[in-house]
Amino acid sequence: MDEVKVIEIKKSVFAANDQDADALRKELKNKGVYLLNLMSSPGSGKTTTLIRTINLLKDRLRVAVMEADIDSDVDARRIQAATGIPSIQLHTGGMCHLDAEMTRQGLDNLPLEDFDLVVLENVGNLVCPAEFDTGAVRNAMILSVPEGDDKPLKYPLMFSVCNVVVVNKTDVMPYFDFDLDRCREHVRMRNPRARVIPICAKTGEGVDAFADWLLEEVKTWKQH
Amino acid sequence: MDEVKVIEIKKSVFAANDQDADALRKELKNKGVYLLNLMSSPGSGKTTTLIRTINLLKDRLRVAVMEADIDSDVDARRIQAATGIPSIQLHTGGMCHLDAEMTRQGLDNLPLEDFDLVVLENVGNLVCPAEFDTGAVRNAMILSVPEGDDKPLKYPLMFSVCNVVVVNKTDVMPYFDFDLDRCREHVRMRNPRARVIPICAKTGEGVDAFADWLLEEVKTWKQH
């Protein structure tokens, strides 16, 4: 597989993360780059979903990916091999989340003027990443069917901060006690405005709806 | 469902967690109580596994459960209803892990002399809980098949600190790209001495092996 750039992320020294995140968002706006923060549990299918989504978007948008991981670089290599787009790996050194300064350390390694959309694949964790604004324009998360439709009840903050909840692995719905309507209802309790998009990243089913949402988002954001 | 005790856990003020954890372990030893710290991702089936395991053990050991959760008390109620054993809920108030002092706050709410085994169901998270010694005698974790057999590569610390890796949801193995031998190999890379126990908590298959391990552990520990 292709070599990918691996960046060792250092712990942030900024206490005022919210201000720092706002500043980063402004900088990205000036450069015309849309940053999406993608979160989920371990093993929910973030990387497979991203590969499918990017392959639908890459002829219409210039996309790059930053993969945050504790210490492997498997995901960045996988994405680069499967999509051909630039992908860099951020090593968080055991840290459980990314904040705005850590995100900036990653972005500093990309020629931002060359991209419309940068996707940050956050650390697999439903708790800590939700607490830190990364400077992204929007937050999205993936909830996979085997995790259960009760997760919005148990991880309230994560579902509150996300604009989109992608429900992945719909192909195995018959084997799990997962009800899509109940899931929508639980998401609505945490965040009435969040969109729920069911997909199967393995077969590609439904991924176009997520890609369309993202395309529309980037276009709108670049115009205003 | 039965009412369960809900404890709001406060942030620990002790910086020296390792010493505090050792002190707690000693106190528990003096009281003849074995504490198991059970960790996993969200949705791996911790609660269902616990119910099955406790139902196999409760005639031979006096068991209690402490359920850590960010803010719901669904799991403690479920365990109490399904097993009849005392179960208390620890609210971590958004915190992503438990340390020894937080664990102690929970234990203070149980009449410890009445129990041989207390199981702490930690927050659903493969990152942060691995970093904090809770004072437990042993750490166990559940990895569910849909999460993938590569998780030991991505969450190295979690697999290094666990004495047992329970592989749950083996019934859906045909629908996922999960290889048990590859999983064992990945676990071995992180922790050559960890036991891997495949189970299906839904049907109960294999749970006896985990219960037997735990029974033996508690007996040995109480004798020495």
Side-chain angles (χ1 to χ4, degrees):
Chain A
M1 266 190 281
D2 287 344
E3 282 297 299
V4 297
K5 200 164 185 175
V6 177
I7 295 106
E8 309 293 333
I9 296 291
K10 287 174 197 59
K11 196 162 181 176
S12 173
V13 289
F14 292 92
N17 184 59
D18 283 352
Q19 282 138 277
D20 196 35
D22 284 339
L24 177 57
R25 233 177 329 266
K26 210 175 216 174
E27 287 164 46
L28 290 170
K29 176 83 181 164
N30 290 338
K31 290 182 175 156
V33 182
Y34 183 104
L35 178 66
L36 179 76
N37 176 27
L38 184 63
M39 299 178 282
S40 84
S41 282
S44 67
K46 277 200 297 301
T47 308
T48 311
T49 303
L50 261 186
I51 289 171
R52 288 274 185 192
T53 309
I54 289 164
N55 280 334
L56 289 172
L57 289 175
K58 68 183 181 189
D59 294 336
R60 291 179 283 179
L61 293 175
R62 299 166 304 159
V63 191
V65 167
M66 299 197 299
E67 288 283 324
D69 227 324
I70 291 170
D71 89 354
S72 85
D73 61 358
V74 180
D75 290 344
R77 278 191 280 126
R78 242 185 91 199
I79 291 205
Q80 198 157 292
T83 65
I85 69 150
S87 178
I88 61 177
Q89 184 79 47
L90 312 183
H91 279 178
T92 63
M95 273 176 289
C96 51
H97 68 275
L98 290 176
D99 63 15
E101 168 54 21
M102 292 154 88
T103 304
R104 193 194 299 272
Q105 290 175 44
L107 291 168
D108 283 348
N109 291 277
L110 285 171
L112 290 178
E113 57 285 1
D114 292 352
F115 300 107
D116 304 306
L117 167 65
V118 176
V119 183
L120 170 63
E121 193 183 311
N122 214 312
V123 181
N125 180 336
L126 290 190
V127 187
C128 323
E131 291 168 26
F132 295 87
D133 188 341
T134 58
V137 182
R138 292 282 183 267
N139 295 318
M141 71 162 294
I142 302 179
L143 171 68
S144 66
V145 163
E147 295 170 59
D149 55 33
D150 61 341
K151 288 300 155 291
L153 306 179
K154 296 197 169 178
Y155 301 89
L157 186 62
M158 175 56 75
F159 288 83
S160 306
V161 302
C162 281
N163 307 87
V164 165
V165 177
V166 174
V167 176
N168 189 23
K169 309 192 187 179
T170 53
D171 57 324
V172 295
M173 200 109 59
Y175 313 111
F176 292 92
D177 178 29
F178 188 103
D179 185 297
L180 197 55
D181 288 335
R182 202 163 52 204
C183 176
R184 284 183 200 278
E185 201 180 298
H186 291 160
V187 170
R188 208 173 296 129
M189 283 166 62
R190 298 305 178 198
N191 186 351
R193 297 194 304 171
R195 274 194 64 173
V196 175
I197 304 179
I199 69 160
C200 175
K202 201 160 105 182
T203 63
E205 204 185 324
V207 179
D208 52 336
F210 179 53
D212 287 348
W213 171 80
L214 198 45
L215 183 64
E216 201 48 45
E217 272 284 313
V218 176
K219 280 190 178 167
T220 311
W221 188 77
K222 283 174 85 93
Q223 278 160 6
H224 296 286
Chain B
M1 267 192 278
D2 288 344
E3 282 297 299
V4 297
K5 200 163 184 176
V6 176
I7 294 106
E8 309 293 334
I9 296 291
K10 287 172 195 62
K11 197 163 182 175
S12 171
V13 290
F14 292 92
N17 183 59
D18 283 352
Q19 281 138 277
D20 196 35
D22 284 339
L24 178 56
R25 232 177 330 265
K26 212 175 214 171
E27 287 164 45
L28 291 170
K29 176 82 180 163
N30 290 337
K31 290 181 176 156
V33 181
Y34 183 105
L35 178 65
L36 179 76
N37 175 29
L38 184 61
M39 300 179 281
S40 84
S41 283
S44 66
K46 275 200 297 301
T47 308
T48 310
T49 302
L50 262 186
I51 289 172
R52 290 273 185 193
T53 309
I54 290 164
N55 281 334
L56 289 173
L57 290 176
K58 68 183 179 189
D59 295 335
R60 292 180 283 178
L61 293 174
R62 300 166 304 159
V63 191
V65 167
M66 301 197 297
E67 287 284 323
D69 226 325
I70 290 170
D71 91 353
S72 86
D73 61 357
V74 180
D75 290 343
R77 278 191 281 127
R78 242 186 90 199
I79 290 206
Q80 198 157 290
T83 65
I85 69 151
S87 177
I88 62 177
Q89 184 79 46
L90 312 183
H91 278 177
T92 63
M95 273 177 289
C96 51
H97 68 275
L98 291 176
D99 62 17
E101 167 54 22
M102 293 154 87
T103 304
R104 195 194 299 272
Q105 290 176 44
L107 291 168
D108 283 348
N109 291 277
L110 285 171
L112 289 180
E113 58 284 0
D114 293 351
F115 300 107
D116 305 305
L117 168 65
V118 176
V119 182
L120 169 64
E121 193 183 312
N122 214 313
V123 181
N125 180 336
L126 290 191
V127 187
C128 322
E131 292 168 26
F132 294 88
D133 188 341
T134 58
V137 183
R138 292 281 182 267
N139 295 318
M141 71 162 293
I142 301 179
L143 171 67
S144 66
V145 164
E147 295 170 60
D149 55 33
D150 61 341
K151 289 299 155 290
L153 305 179
K154 296 199 169 176
Y155 300 90
L157 187 62
M158 175 57 75
F159 288 83
S160 306
V161 301
C162 281
N163 307 87
V164 165
V165 176
V166 174
V167 176
N168 190 22
K169 308 192 187 177
T170 52
D171 58 323
V172 295
M173 200 109 57
Y175 313 111
F176 292 92
D177 178 28
F178 188 103
D179 185 295
L180 197 55
D181 289 335
R182 202 163 53 205
C183 176
R184 285 184 200 277
E185 199 180 300
H186 290 158
V187 170
R188 209 173 296 129
M189 283 166 63
R190 298 306 178 198
N191 185 353
R193 298 193 305 170
R195 274 194 63 174
V196 174
I197 304 179
I199 69 161
C200 174
K202 201 161 106 181
T203 64
E205 205 186 324
V207 178
D208 52 337
F210 179 53
D212 288 346
W213 171 80
L214 199 46
L215 183 63
E216 201 48 46
E217 273 283 317
V218 176
K219 281 188 178 168
T220 311
W221 188 78
K222 282 176 87 91
Q223 280 160 6
H224 296 288

